[in-house]
Amino acid sequence: MDASNFQQRGILVALSSPSGAGKTTLTRRLLEHSPNFMLSVSVTTRSPRPGEGEGRDYYFKSRETFEKMKEADDFLEWAKVFGNYYGTLQQPVMAALEEGRDVLFDIDWQGTQQLTQKMGEDMISIFILPPSMGELEQRLYRRSQDEESTILDRMSKAVGEISHWAEYDYVLVNEDLDKTLHKILAIIQAEKLKKSRQLGLETFVKGLMEFV
Amino acid sequence: MDASNFQQRGILVALSSPSGAGKTTLTRRLLEHSPNFMLSVSVTTRSPRPGEGEGRDYYFKSRETFEKMKEADDFLEWAKVFGNYYGTLQQPVMAALEEGRDVLFDIDWQGTQQLTQKMGEDMISIFILPPSMGELEQRLYRRSQDEESTILDRMSKAVGEISHWAEYDYVLVNEDLDKTLHKILAIIQAEKLKKSRQLGLETFVKGLMEFV
């Protein structure tokens, strides 16, 4: 019997970074690598961008629907950012935890703060830093055909996001995607080996002791 | 610049298990694998066994010397077990921490409790369980030419040691040495990525922000 066979409680992982630090790629690769993870899909009132799919990138809702859901306490956390609502549904997260599944949140510092307050010990938070701001700027340029003003705007948002690094449990500098992915996997593996998350341990040790 | 280049505070790792659960092999392989680790060598008043080397397995001291060291506050922790003293020297551990080196303690639950009390956040503790008591018994038989009474005595000590599993941060079932070694390495890697252990992070982020 391996520890990995124990009844386990799922783990909630918040992954934050400024735009351009590699979070989207890391999220995708983490999900490919760890079938036990599901991605938490947020609800938003903003309009879908080209290529975004309902239920894959977001659940797109009207402002009225969002506000009703908010009143019905459907959200673990929600925030209003630049006039649009964003929220994390409560029900799928609770169900995943009880089934021993893990949930990944691709979320900003505000969402992470609220989730950490609400979910306590179930939650771990990881912040991804770029190796340098020059690198970040280049990635934002390469990625888009934006006007310089938009890049500057994104850079200033990046600084705002980075300013919250110290609120996270783990902080990683993403210089190399493979190395960073393996660091994240090591963090998750270690967190799952914590005594407090291995619900089946007590029964296992009782079984050990009965032998004698 | 990689996070691994940051100024880091060393980490203290207590590894405990009942005799026969694989701790000695794991300790050796961990030290081979991680050159940043040093093994804490205990001081004892018991006599050397055949093959044991001064300063490698233990520092062998007289009872009088040990008691003087104890009064001089030379020990981080000490205990009297079956009439013999055992103690962990304070000075080398403190020096290692400040140099950013890591220290491994091959130590029982009593030593772990005292070290955890004294070293707080610098300390993590890992308990290694055998996959079954039958397996443990077989390993003890294979290892020694002991009389059955000694095996029974060791089994009862093993049960006593196992009874303290819940005082540890991490608990691992050692079914496969390689897998267990990699779990321990993942735990150590993750613990070192904790924000609180990366002393250079604040300076690094300040540097990032100044760019803008």
Side-chain angles (χ1 to χ4, degrees), chain A residues 112-126:
Chain A
T112 304
Q113 264 188 4
Q114 288 186 64
L115 282 180
T116 303
Q117 287 276 326
K118 207 141 178 180
M119 302 307 295
E121 291 295 297
D122 286 319
M123 193 83 204
I124 65 160
S125 59
I126 305 176

Side-chain angles (χ1 to χ4, degrees), chain A residues 129-155:
Chain A
L129 287 168
S132 72
M133 292 307 268
E135 178 81 13
L136 191 77
E137 198 174 11
Q138 278 171 35
R139 286 187 200 164
L140 290 176
Y141 265 114
R142 256 180 273 142
R143 179 193 291 189
S144 68
Q145 305 296 321
D146 293 349
E147 300 289 314
E148 183 143 350
S149 64
T150 310
I151 300 285
L152 282 176
D153 180 50
R154 287 201 187 168
M155 287 297 281

Side-chain angles (χ1 to χ4, degrees), chain A residues 1 133 166 171 195 198 208, chain B residues 133 166 171 175 195 198 208:
Chain A
M1 178 166 185
M133 292 307 268
V171 180
K195 178 193 59 203
Q198 299 186 72
L208 273 186
Chain B
M133 292 307 269
V171 180
E175 195 158 36
K195 179 193 60 205
Q198 300 187 72
L208 273 187

Side-chain angles (χ1 to χ4, degrees), chain B residues 122-187:
Chain B
D122 286 319
M123 194 83 202
I124 65 160
S125 58
I126 305 175
F127 197 90
I128 312 287
L129 287 169
S132 73
M133 292 307 269
E135 179 80 13
L136 192 78
E137 199 174 11
Q138 278 173 33
R139 286 187 200 165
L140 289 176
Y141 266 113
R142 256 179 273 140
R143 179 194 289 188
S144 68
Q145 306 295 323
D146 293 350
E147 301 289 315
E148 183 144 351
S149 64
T150 310
I151 300 283
L152 281 177
D153 181 49
R154 287 201 187 168
M155 288 296 281
S156 110
K157 277 187 193 147
V159 169
E161 186 72 19
I162 289 172
S163 72
H164 291 275
W165 69 275
E167 295 155 28
Y168 286 73
D169 300 320
Y170 298 93
V171 180
L172 278 61
V173 180
N174 182 26
E175 195 158 36
D176 176 291
L177 265 173
D178 281 320
K179 280 189 193 162
T180 306
L181 178 68
H182 282 98
K183 284 175 183 172
I184 296 174
L185 292 170
I187 289 169

Side-chain angles (χ1 to χ4, degrees), chain B residues 15-18 20-28 106-108 128 174:
Chain B
L15 201 61
S16 301
S17 80
K23 187 175 57 164
T24 308
T25 312
L26 285 168
T27 298
R28 184 175 48 74
D106 175 344
I107 204 166
D108 73 351
I128 312 287
N174 182 26

